[in-house]
């Protein structure tokens, strides 16, 4: 998760593309939430706009692609261009072996479920995609950790001056305790 937060934090512009309607809706909600953190996510509405946006993207930007199947047949060429431009790409796909996750350097997965199997409509539930995006948002809310905190351990890192002050305070309290005051 720290890697994802690093990508978001360091990106000048964040673009998001959903390969289907459900994914686009989840990315729109994620975009709305990230405004609370001062991060504006540009939702790319369709393939044509994605192709145009790729031409203007820089190495300091980031792309998030959400897909149910992970089938990247339509966008493989755009992903190749993004990789050549060294633009970080985070794919978020259903938990399976898929082309999209193989083409992108950063990957997250969710498990979808089909709610209604009686008719031929796509009734996939995107609750887990929404939860994953919410988890990223909540993690980002606490990112970066305050100065003086170790990202890996979550523990406070004290400067030498602070350590000396703490040691002096401990000695003062110990002296009070020993004197019975």
């Amino acid at each position: 998760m720290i890697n994802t937060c690093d990508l978001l934090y360091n990106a000048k512009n964040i673009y998001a593309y959903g390969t289907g309607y459900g994914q686009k809706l989840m990315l729109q909600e994620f975009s709305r939430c990230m405004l609370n953190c001062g991060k504006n996510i540009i939702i790319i509405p369709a393939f044509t706009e994605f192709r145009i946006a790729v031409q203007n993207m820089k190495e300091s930007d980031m792309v998030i692609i959400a897909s149910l199947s992970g089938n990247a047949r339509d966008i493989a060429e755009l992903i190749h261009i993004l990789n050549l431009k060294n633009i970080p790409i985070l794919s978020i796909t259903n938990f399976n072996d898929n082309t999209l996750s193989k083409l992108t350097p950063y990957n997250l997965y969710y498990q979808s479920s089909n709610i209604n199997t009686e008719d031929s409509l796509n009734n996939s539930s995107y609750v887990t995609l929404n939860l994953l995006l919410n988890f990223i948002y909540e993690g980002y809310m606490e990112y970066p950790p305050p100065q003086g905190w170790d990202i890996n351990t979550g523990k406070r890192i004290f400067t030498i001056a602070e350590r000396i002050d703490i040691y002096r305070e401990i000695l003062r309290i110990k002296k009070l305790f020993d004197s019975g005051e």
Side-chain angles (χ1 to χ4, degrees):
M1 184 57 62
I2 290 173
N3 217 5
T4 303
C5 290
D6 280 340
L7 291 172
L8 292 167
Y9 185 77
N10 293 316
K12 182 177 180 188
N13 297 301
I14 302 168
Y15 297 88
Y17 179 72
T19 60
Y21 183 69
Q23 295 90 339
K24 284 182 177 83
L25 287 175
M26 298 302 108
L27 288 171
Q28 285 173 349
E29 174 64 12
F30 178 62
S31 174
R32 185 190 69 77
C33 291
M34 291 298 288
L35 287 172
N36 291 323
C37 308
K39 281 292 185 179
N40 183 28
I41 298 177
I42 302 161
I43 302 294
I44 302 171
F47 176 78
T48 302
E49 287 80 4
F50 192 14
R51 188 171 34 82
I52 293 167
V54 166
Q55 296 170 13
N56 299 313
M57 291 180 192
K58 308 274 187 277
E59 193 172 337
S60 59
D61 297 333
M62 173 191 179
V63 177
I64 301 170
I65 303 172
S67 173
L68 176 63
S69 68
N71 181 348
R73 184 175 47 241
D74 296 341
I75 58 173
E77 183 181 335
L78 297 178
I79 293 169
H80 180 67
I81 293 168
L82 292 168
N83 283 327
L84 287 175
K85 292 173 92 172
N86 206 25
I87 297 168
I89 310 166
L90 171 66
S91 68
I92 304 175
T93 63
N94 197 19
F95 192 69
N96 61 19
D97 185 30
N98 64 75
T99 307
L100 181 56
S101 63
K102 291 177 183 172
L103 293 174
T104 57
Y106 305 97
N107 310 287
L108 292 174
Y109 301 93
Y110 65 96
Q111 183 67 49
S112 68
S113 59
N114 197 324
I115 296 172
N116 186 354
T117 57
E118 293 179 20
D119 51 33
S120 60
L121 294 174
N122 182 355
N123 293 313
S124 295
S125 170
Y126 294 101
V127 170
T128 52
L129 174 57
N130 193 357
L131 286 171
L132 176 59
L133 291 170
N134 190 60
F135 183 64
I136 294 169
Y137 162 67
E138 288 186 8
Y140 191 82
M141 287 288 286
E142 298 177 10
Y143 191 88
Q147 190 171 8
W149 288 85
D150 185 322
I151 293 174
N152 298 317
T153 64
K155 295 180 180 177
R156 174 85 160 84
I157 301 171
F158 294 99
T159 64
I160 294 187
E162 290 173 321
R163 289 180 187 174
I164 291 170
D165 288 343
I166 291 169
Y167 182 71
R168 285 181 181 151
E169 186 63 15
I170 290 171
L171 289 176
R172 187 187 70 77
I173 292 170
K174 184 180 181 315
K175 194 176 196 180
L176 285 172
F177 183 76
D178 289 344
S179 69
E181 292 182 28

